[in-house]
Amino acid sequence: MPSNFNVIYLGRLPLMDTTRGNITPESANQFVGQTFGSETDPLFEDFRHLAQRPGYNNFSANSPTNVYNNDADPNQRAGAQYEYFRTTADGGETWTPHAYDALAVYNNSTITYVDGTTANVQVHLVQDYNGETFWVPQTSQNAYQDAMEAKPIQSLTVGTLNTNYANLTAYRDIWEYAVCFAAGTLIETADGSRRIETLRRGDLVLTKDNDLQRIRWIGSRKIGTAVLQENPNLRPIRIRAGALGASTPASDLVLSPQHRVLVRSKIAQRMFGAIEVLVAAKHLLEIDGIEIAQDIAEVEYFHFMFDAHEVVLANGAEAESLYTGPEALKAVSPAARDEIFALFPELRGMDSTALASPARPLVKGRVGRQLAGRHARNRRELVS
C-alpha cells in the first residue's frame, strides 16, 4: 500500500489533540454527530493528494517503517525532525511544514451520495498541528473503502468514536485518479485526426457505432512531477504502436491506467460471450509493448463525453469516451469513481441519463488480467 494517498479535506477545525505533549487526541468526541459537506458544497470537490516529503519523517519507534509519529509541532519542537506533508488538488509542488498530529476512528458514520442514497461506514479522520482536518482512506481495500468509492460523496455525518489513535498508519488505499487520454493523442473527427487538446465542446468526433457525435463536455487536468514520483500507481500506461494488433495503435498511445481500450478476439468471446469488450490499460501490462511510462515526468490528461458512452479512434486504436453519471458510475471500477468527479466537477448536475449503458461489456480487475494473460500465452492479438 502507498504511503502517499488521496484524502478529502474537511477544513480547519478545532483541535482533537488539545494538550500538546501527550499522544492522545482527547477532544476527538467533538466531531460526533457533525456533518461535513452539503448539496451546494459536496465533498467530492474537496479531494486532495496527501504526500510526505522524502527524508522528512518521524516514524514511531516501535513501527519505524509504516507509522507516522504524532505531536510533531515544529513551532514547539525547534530543531526536531518532523513530517512535512503536502496536500494539493492540482499537483502543486511547494512544501510547507504541514505536520500530522492526531487521528481518530469513528464507527457508524453515514455517507450521503450525490444521488441521495446513503451508506454506513467507519471513517478515519486526521489533523495536522494547525487543525487542518482530512478524511483518509482505509488501510486496505475493504467493505468500508468500497462504500467510500461507490459513488460521488456529497456529505459525511460522523458517527460514534471508536478509538483515539496515537499514530497515523502510513500505508493506505490510494483512490487512484481519472480515466483519460494524455495530451497529444490523435482523435478522429469530422475534420480528420486532431490532437485532443485542440478539441472543444460541440466538435464532431467519429465514433465506432454512431458515426459523428458532438462533444458535450471536455476537460483536462495536469498531474505534476512530484505527484507521479510519489505515487507510481498514477503513472500513465504506454501502448506502443502495433501492441494491440497489426498497426493498432498506429502510433504510441498514452492513457491513464484506468482508461479502457477495446479488445476484439475469440478469447474474449469464449470468456465473456462477447467478441468485443473494454479493458483498462493497466490490466493489459502482460502484453508485449504495453508498459508503465516510467520516462514521463508529468502528464496532462484530457477526456470528453457525448450523449452516450462511445468507442472512438485514438492514435488508430479503439478506446472509450468518458463513461459517467449517477447510475453509470456503478459500473466504473472503484478506483476511478469519485476521482472522475474530483478532477472534473463540471460533470455534476449534467443530464447523463443516456449514459446508463456502456458501449461494450466492461471487463474489470482480475478477469481483465486473465484475458491479457491468455492472449500473451497463446500469442494472440488483442484486436483481431
Side-chain angles (χ1 to χ4, degrees):
M1 304 299 289
S3 58
N4 302 298
F5 37 79
N6 295 320
V7 299
I8 292 179
Y9 177 61
L10 300 181
R12 178 173 285 195
L13 304 175
L15 293 178
M16 290 195 284
D17 183 4
T18 54
T19 304
R20 299 297 191 186
N22 70 10
I23 61 171
T24 302
E26 58 277 344
S27 296
N29 252 320
Q30 65 184 308
F31 298 136
V32 171
Q34 288 198 32
T35 296
F36 300 94
S38 66
E39 185 176 355
T40 57
D41 186 22
L43 290 180
F44 71 75
E45 293 184 351
D46 288 318
F47 267 95
R48 310 287 179 89
H49 184 74
L50 185 148
Q52 185 194 38
R53 187 173 183 175
Y56 285 77
N57 67 69
N58 190 23
F59 283 134
S60 174
N62 61 0
S63 187
T65 61
N66 67 355
V67 175
Y68 299 123
N69 202 359
N70 77 336
D71 198 37
D73 184 345
N75 295 328
Q76 297 189 12
R77 299 176 65 196
Q81 186 181 30
Y82 54 88
E83 293 93 340
Y84 268 99
F85 284 110
R86 181 184 69 233
T87 58
T88 176
D90 59 6
E93 299 178 12
T94 301
W95 290 100
T96 57
H98 181 72
Y100 157 72
D101 187 53
L103 178 144
V105 176
Y106 302 84
N107 291 338
N108 301 314
S109 299
T110 301
I111 293 172
T112 299
Y113 302 112
V114 295
D115 63 3
T117 60
T118 62
N120 185 276
V121 297
Q122 179 191 83
V123 296
H124 296 199
L125 303 185
V126 304
Q127 279 187 331
D128 76 353
Y129 63 89
N130 282 326
E132 302 286 353
T133 306
F134 304 92
W135 176 7
V136 300
Q138 298 283 311
T139 56
S140 65
Q141 188 72 41
N142 55 31
Y144 296 129
Q145 188 67 31
D146 289 343
M148 290 160 58
E149 296 171 341
K151 287 179 281 189
I153 296 172
Q154 176 174 293
S155 64
L156 167 70
T157 300
V158 179
T160 57
L161 182 63
N162 175 299
T163 185
N164 298 340
Y165 278 120
N167 297 308
L168 167 63
T169 303
Y171 298 109
R172 292 177 174 269
D173 194 69
I174 180 62
W175 286 355
E176 290 171 316
Y177 275 69
V179 178
C180 309
F181 297 99
T185 301
L186 295 175
I187 303 295
E188 290 301 316
T189 75
D191 302 316
S193 296
R194 290 177 53 186
R195 292 171 66 95
I196 193 168
E197 58 266 35
T198 71
L199 298 179
R200 299 293 182 266
R201 183 176 179 179
D203 286 348
L204 290 169
V205 171
L206 182 64
T207 68
K208 181 177 175 64
D209 303 316
N210 296 301
D211 198 27
L212 295 172
Q213 292 292 313
R214 290 193 184 278
I215 295 175
R216 288 189 60 202
W217 172 88
I218 186 166
S220 68
R221 176 180 177 145
K222 290 183 179 179
I223 306 297
T225 302
V227 173
L228 289 181
Q229 289 176 342
E230 291 155 3
N231 190 346
N233 288 348
L234 304 183
R235 288 194 173 278
I237 304 297
R238 177 182 289 112
I239 301 178
R240 295 196 178 275
L244 298 176
S247 301
T248 306
S251 58
D252 290 1
L253 176 64
V254 178
L255 304 166
S256 67
Q258 298 283 356
H259 199 123
R260 288 177 285 249
V261 298
L262 186 136
V263 173
R264 180 172 57 247
S265 70
K266 292 181 179 179
I267 293 175
Q269 175 74 56
R270 287 193 291 270
M271 289 183 67
F272 308 111
I275 197 167
E276 293 184 343
V277 295
L278 289 165
V279 186
K282 64 182 287 186
H283 296 145
L284 301 177
L285 291 173
E286 193 169 342
I287 303 298
D288 287 342
I290 302 179
E291 62 200 16
I292 299 171
Q294 301 285 2
D295 58 316
I296 292 180
E298 60 182 15
V299 62
E300 184 171 12
Y301 283 135
F302 290 79
H303 219 325
F304 50 81
M305 62 182 283
F306 305 104
D307 286 328
H309 191 219
E310 301 282 0
V311 174
V312 301
L313 284 171
N315 288 14
E318 293 168 328
E320 67 174 334
S321 67
L322 182 59
Y323 181 57
T324 187
E327 290 303 318
L329 275 170
K330 295 178 182 178
V332 178
S333 66
R337 290 171 185 156
D338 284 346
E339 293 127 11
I340 291 173
F341 282 79
L343 288 174
F344 306 132
E346 299 95 328
L347 290 176
R348 187 168 66 94
M350 295 185 69
D351 178 14
S352 53
T353 55
L355 294 173
S357 298
R360 295 293 186 279
L362 308 179
V363 175
K364 303 178 184 179
R366 179 178 54 84
V367 290
R369 291 188 289 272
Q370 289 175 351
L371 173 68
R374 289 181 62 172
H375 280 84
R377 289 191 298 273
N378 290 289
R379 300 182 181 277
R380 294 290 185 265
E381 294 180 340
L382 290 171
V383 177
S384 61

